[in-house]
Amino acid sequence: MADDAGLETQLCSEQFGSGEALGCRAAADGSLQWEGFPDSVSPDYLPYQLWDSVQAFASSLSGSLATQAVLLGIGVGNAKATVSAATATWLVKDSTGMLGRIVFAWWKGSKLDCNAKQWRLFADILNDVAMFLEIMAPVYPICFTMTVSTSNLAKCIVSVAGGATRAALTVHQARRNNMADVSAKDSSQETLVNLAGLLVSLLMLPLVSGCPGFSLGCFFFLTALHIYANYRAVRSLVMETLNEGRLRLVLRHYLQRGEVLDPTAANRMEPLWTGFWPARSLSLGVPLHRLVSSVFELQQLVEGHQEPYLLCWDQSRNQVQVVLNQKAGPKTVLRAATHGLMLGALQGDGPLPAELEELRNQVQAGPKKESWVIVKETHQVLDMLFPKFLKGLQDAGWKTEKHQLEVDEWRATWLLSPEKKVL
């Protein structure tokens, strides 16, 4: 406790000119710990920014090749091309992109926080696809307008997904209430990298302009470098909040081995190529009217639920739907998600604790026991398991006071339940 107090107590401070004062605290080893970089950002900030700079440089060069191809297709340098035709093509291209931006933001905007790493990688790969379409557009002049419009549609989706996930990652990396500072430095760094890419492009374009094959080869090389650097950048991130994918990994490891994975290990194992349109086996915050249509069904659903959530499990499709109470807090949502994923584990393979192994044998042996009975019994198991699991998460370094689980806005109250506990 004395060490914790030492870390919190500011021993001294210093200030350069009219700049912001930097405080100093005592570290656990007795050394002085000054505020500012690297303590003002997350440990994964530096490796992420290094690989992010590499991918931005490669993307800048690829973008120059794509821009050259679009200008060639519009008619720059062609005496037969008309200004009105080029303007019409450009307007169709831009309007398509604007519509795409609006539709994608409406469709997926609220989901981007939950899988920021996956959507960040998706955005950059989609950007490469868009630039490839632009490079190929002049090859088929009859489809030029449709091709560049499709490309711009993809780029506008990239703009929404990339911008939103960049904001989410900035929140993760800023550790001293300095999100604006981290965001400003990230923007400046990207501007510097793009400037360097612009200067190199001025040297590269005259060399490749007369040789389409060489230009395409350069594009594929830069695209491969861009995707690899993006993968390394996203893989270097260590998110300390739980989304469904990370919670699934941590819970499975805990049920099988009795140990809680730390954020570094879980993030290293988290899949990056999935998560965009996953099969929804767990739905949190569903409307109550979707699950019940009679008093009997409501009574059956409520029975055994003393927590501020109701859980409905469809064994045949292995789908779990959770109704959240108005009083449900972050830990309640985490427990409900853990409950739902634990039910899914009953239909899977691998070792489980003795209590769950017995339930799995009952589930997998016919005839099937009623789902609501299994749910009621797992509540009792979870009463013993979840407090230990939650403490293990906190001890391993996970932030359980918040989460990145995908939760809908529906909330409900019900009168037939016993007194609810609020987590």
Side-chain angles (χ1 to χ4, degrees), residues 66-98:
T67 300
Q68 182 188 45
V70 171
L71 293 176
L72 178 65
I74 284 179
V76 174
N78 185 354
K80 296 181 180 180
T82 64
V83 174
S84 59
T87 302
T89 299
W90 208 267
L91 291 175
V92 171
K93 177 179 76 72
D94 284 354
S95 59
T96 303
M98 291 175 187

Side-chain angles (χ1 to χ4, degrees), residues 57 61 64 194-207:
F57 182 75
L61 297 181
S64 298
N194 287 335
L195 179 60
L198 177 62
L199 296 176
V200 174
S201 296
L202 293 175
L203 300 176
M204 178 185 68
L205 290 178
L207 299 177

Side-chain angles (χ1 to χ4, degrees), residues 254-318:
Y254 180 77
L255 293 178
Q256 293 179 354
R257 304 188 183 183
E259 302 172 349
V260 175
L261 289 172
D262 61 36
T264 301
N267 277 268
R268 193 183 303 122
M269 298 167 60
E270 183 183 9
L272 297 178
W273 306 107
T274 59
F276 313 121
W277 293 277
R280 293 297 306 278
S281 60
L282 175 65
S283 300
L284 299 168
V286 301
L288 182 59
H289 69 262
R290 183 187 298 176
L291 304 184
V292 295
S293 58
S294 68
V295 175
F296 174 75
E297 290 180 351
L298 179 59
Q299 290 175 331
Q300 191 178 64
L301 183 64
V302 167
E303 185 174 350
H305 286 81
Q306 296 184 353
E307 304 294 332
Y309 67 86
L310 302 176
L311 190 148
C312 179
W313 181 36
D314 185 341
Q315 289 189 58
S316 61
R317 295 185 295 176
N318 196 22

Side-chain angles (χ1 to χ4, degrees), residues 42-62:
S42 60
D44 56 21
Y45 178 82
L46 187 58
Y48 174 80
Q49 292 298 337
L50 289 174
W51 284 111
D52 190 54
S53 297
V54 174
Q55 69 85 16
F57 182 75
S59 181
S60 178
L61 297 181
S62 299

Side-chain angles (χ1 to χ4, degrees), residues 71-380:
L71 293 176
L72 178 65
I74 284 179
V76 174
N78 185 354
K80 296 181 180 180
T82 64
V83 174
S84 59
T87 302
T89 299
W90 208 267
L91 291 175
V92 171
K93 177 179 76 72
D94 284 354
S95 59
T96 303
M98 291 175 187
L99 289 173
R101 184 194 301 267
I102 294 170
V103 172
F104 182 77
W106 165 79
W107 180 38
K108 287 291 182 179
S110 61
K111 311 294 190 295
L112 300 178
D113 279 310
C114 304
N115 295 293
K117 294 195 292 184
Q118 288 84 348
W119 281 108
R120 178 71 179 173
L121 187 61
F122 168 82
D124 283 298
I125 292 175
L126 184 60
N127 190 51
D128 290 328
V129 173
M131 288 190 288
F132 176 72
L133 290 175
E134 289 180 341
I135 285 181
M136 298 303 295
V139 179
Y140 304 99
I142 193 172
C143 300
F144 180 81
T145 300
M146 183 179 67
T147 304
V148 295
S149 296
T150 304
S151 170
N152 201 54
L153 173 63
K155 282 190 171 184
C156 286
I157 293 175
V158 169
S159 175
V160 175
T165 54
R166 181 185 294 273
L169 297 181
T170 300
V171 171
H172 156 69
Q173 292 177 333
R175 295 301 169 93
R176 291 287 187 272
N177 197 27
N178 58 335
M179 193 176 75
D181 180 40
V182 173
S183 180
K185 287 182 170 60
D186 180 68
S187 179
S188 297
Q189 173 188 312
E190 184 176 9
T191 301
L192 179 61
V193 172
N194 287 335
L195 179 60
L198 177 62
L199 296 176
V200 174
S201 296
L202 293 175
L203 300 176
M204 178 185 68
L205 290 178
L207 299 177
V208 302
S209 58
C211 182
F214 184 52
S215 176
L216 195 59
C218 289
F219 173 78
F220 284 134
F221 169 75
L222 291 170
T223 298
L225 176 61
H226 179 241
I227 293 175
Y228 175 74
N230 263 295
Y231 176 81
R232 291 296 302 271
V234 172
R235 182 56 79 188
S236 70
L237 290 168
V238 180
M239 311 294 284
E240 293 141 342
T241 50
L242 290 162
N243 63 2
E244 184 178 337
R246 291 188 286 274
L247 179 59
R248 190 186 300 274
L249 285 170
V250 174
L251 180 62
R252 182 173 60 197
H253 191 271
Y254 180 77
L255 293 178
Q256 293 179 354
R257 304 188 183 183
E259 302 172 349
V260 175
L261 289 172
D262 61 36
T264 301
N267 277 268
R268 193 183 303 122
M269 298 167 60
E270 183 183 9
L272 297 178
W273 306 107
T274 59
F276 313 121
W277 293 277
R280 293 297 306 278
S281 60
L282 175 65
S283 300
L284 299 168
V286 301
L288 182 59
H289 69 262
R290 183 187 298 176
L291 304 184
V292 295
S293 58
S294 68
V295 175
F296 174 75
E297 290 180 351
L298 179 59
Q299 290 175 331
Q300 191 178 64
L301 183 64
V302 167
E303 185 174 350
H305 286 81
Q306 296 184 353
E307 304 294 332
Y309 67 86
L310 302 176
L311 190 148
C312 179
W313 181 36
D314 185 341
Q315 289 189 58
S316 61
R317 295 185 295 176
N318 196 22
Q319 289 186 339
V320 176
Q321 299 184 82
V322 180
V323 179
L324 295 173
N325 190 268
Q326 294 281 6
K327 300 179 181 179
K331 289 184 181 178
T332 295
V333 175
L334 183 58
R335 175 181 167 122
T338 302
H339 195 169
L341 295 177
M342 190 175 69
L343 286 169
L346 297 180
Q347 294 190 335
D349 300 321
L352 290 176
E355 304 89 344
L356 291 176
E357 188 67 46
E358 182 180 348
L359 284 175
R360 180 165 66 182
N361 293 335
Q362 296 176 15
V363 168
Q364 295 182 351
K368 291 186 177 181
K369 184 182 286 190
E370 289 286 343
S371 296
W372 68 272
V373 178
I374 297 292
V375 170
K376 182 179 178 180
E377 293 178 2
T378 53
H379 260 297
Q380 300 171 1

Side-chain angles (χ1 to χ4, degrees), residues 21-23 25 33-41 176 178 181:
L22 301 178
R25 293 174 171 82
Q33 188 176 50
W34 292 92
E35 292 180 352
F37 182 82
D39 299 313
S40 59
V41 292
R176 291 287 187 272
N178 58 335
D181 180 40

